[in-house]
Every structure is written in structure tokens, then in C-alpha cells.
Amino acid sequence: MDPNIFRKLSYGLFIISSTMDGKLNGQVANTAFQITAEPAMVAIGINKNNLTHQYITNSGVFTISILPQTVPLDLIGHFGFKSGRDIDKYATVPYKLGETGAPYLLENSIGYLEAQVISSMDAETHTVFLGKVINAEVFSEEEPMTYAYYQLLKRGGAKPAEPAPQPVSEPKSEAKAVDPSTQKYQCPVCGYIYDPAVGDSDSGIAPGTAFADIPDDWVCPICGVSKDQFEPLA
């Protein structure tokens, strides 16, 4: 079986949130979709090891905040690569509580759905929760973030590949060394690619800054991995 086929399926990118004993938590997920229209029902897939899974199982409610293409990388990192067991994810994020008490984003969201769990299905490492939508609102008409767009444009500013002529192989002895000023580096944890031509505007790193010239205390804008763990991209 070729697992790469799963990359051809279409996915969105969402913040799934819930509540438990007065506490709030949320996580990034790419599995959320409509099942029926009348009544309106949605399904989500959540890893059993995640704290959000515990919250949803306990409270029986969840929200889906739909991210726009303009969502900052650090918000994805905040909800996707940090654990609610270590930090209060909603402490610094504008939100509002829905009718069920579950939170939803007020910024960097094009809208949300709020649902009450009516059924669930075991999927080995994950649980598929089926929820009846009890409230929903559209905040803007921005384009929603897709997982494909996130991969192509948010990790190093890559763009969809275009057809290219068949490359002509060169003897290894004639291969040119990569210019340090243009050398890209990749995060070994989340896959983020630092491209000198793009820089990292969210961290104050201007375009044209070589990786070696980035301050030593710079960290991955998505998952927080330190600079010294980045690896040169071949």
C-alpha cells in the first residue's frame, strides 16, 4: 500500500475545542466534515492521547473554528504543537463561550460550529465523534485554510510545482556547493522550512537573512524547536 495516496485527499484545518470542569482546551485538526443537512450533523476525528479527546468524552460537546488562509503560523503552533496539559491555550487567545460552554475563536476564524455529541465510533488510535450542530455563525468570507495550502504556502513559502523540463544529471564531482546565504533549513519536528528568501516576519527576521545570521535564541515559529536542531535541506 502506498500511504502517499492519503495526501491526495482534501482536508481543511480547524481548531477543535471543548470544556471540562470549567476548563477550556483546543487543538488543531484536519478531520471535520458535514454528515447530514437536516438535521445538521458533523463528524470529527480526535486522537485518544490528546487532552481535547478527554474533554469531549467528558462533556459531550465541541466547537469547530474554521481557520482562514491568513491565520498566523504561531496560532497553528500554539494549538497544534503545544499541550493543554502544560499551558492554558485560551489564556492569551480571544474567544467566546458557546451555548454548551465550549469556546470558539473570535479572531483568525471565518466562523464556527457548535455541536453536541450524539454518538461516537472507535477508530483504534482515534475516536470519531458525531455531533448535532446546535449553533453556527459566519464571521467573514475569507478563503478557508486547507491542509494542502498549509503544506505548500505556510511551510517556507513554497508554491505548487509547475511542469519542468527533464533535469540533466551532472557528475557528482561537478556538483556545486549550496550558497550559505540561500541554504534552506528544516525543522525535524513539524517540517517547517526556513527559507532565507522569505525570512520570518512574525519573528522580525527580514527576507534575505541567512540561517546563520538568525539570532541563536530564534525558535521554530510553528512548534518552538530551537534553532540548533534545524537541519539543512538537501
Side-chain angles (χ1 to χ4, degrees):
M1 181 176 71
D2 184 356
N4 289 319
I5 191 62
F6 295 109
R7 295 181 178 271
K8 305 303 180 181
L9 296 176
S10 298
Y11 300 94
L13 207 61
F14 318 95
I15 303 295
I16 308 295
S17 302
S18 190
T19 181
M20 185 179 75
D21 299 330
K23 297 180 180 180
L24 310 175
N25 194 59
Q27 66 165 77
V28 171
N30 63 3
T31 308
F33 49 94
Q34 183 179 6
I35 296 292
T36 61
E38 293 292 341
M41 294 191 188
V42 294
I44 59 174
I46 303 295
N47 192 303
K48 294 178 181 178
N49 292 326
N50 292 357
L51 185 62
T52 303
H53 184 281
Q54 181 181 346
Y55 277 36
I56 296 174
T57 301
N58 179 275
S59 65
V61 299
F62 63 86
T63 60
I64 304 173
S65 293
I66 303 173
L67 302 178
Q69 290 184 352
T70 55
V71 62
L73 283 175
D74 58 1
L75 183 71
I76 295 177
H78 181 74
F79 280 98
F81 292 94
K82 296 180 181 178
S83 173
R85 296 182 176 89
D86 302 321
I87 65 170
D88 179 356
K89 294 187 181 181
Y90 273 97
T92 58
V93 177
Y95 70 92
K96 187 175 181 179
L97 298 180
E99 295 180 13
T100 63
Y104 58 87
L105 299 180
L106 290 177
E107 297 179 359
N108 296 303
S109 171
I110 62 177
Y112 78 98
L113 302 97
E114 182 177 10
Q116 196 156 20
V117 177
I118 62 171
S119 182
S120 63
M121 182 182 74
D122 182 82
E124 295 192 1
T125 59
H126 289 60
T127 296
V128 177
F129 293 101
L130 178 64
K132 183 176 182 180
V133 178
I134 62 173
N135 202 9
E137 185 176 355
V138 175
F139 297 151
S140 78
E141 297 300 326
E142 294 180 75
E143 286 295 317
M145 172 74 80
T146 65
Y147 190 66
Y149 185 92
Y150 171 68
Q151 291 282 6
L152 292 172
L153 303 180
K154 292 300 181 180
R155 292 189 175 182
K159 295 182 179 180
E162 296 181 356
Q166 185 70 23
V168 178
S169 59
E170 297 180 3
K172 291 185 178 180
S173 59
E174 297 179 8
K176 297 180 180 179
V178 178
D179 184 345
S181 67
T182 60
Q183 173 70 62
K184 298 178 182 180
Y185 283 76
Q186 185 171 33
C187 174
V189 175
C190 70
Y192 168 82
I193 297 174
Y194 176 78
D195 183 351
V198 177
D200 177 13
S201 59
D202 291 338
S203 301
I205 308 299
T209 303
F211 187 79
D213 296 331
I214 297 176
D216 291 338
D217 59 356
W218 178 82
V219 297
C220 175
I222 295 182
C223 68
V225 161
S226 61
K227 175 186 175 183
D228 60 4
Q229 295 188 50
F230 271 64
E231 301 169 349
L233 194 63

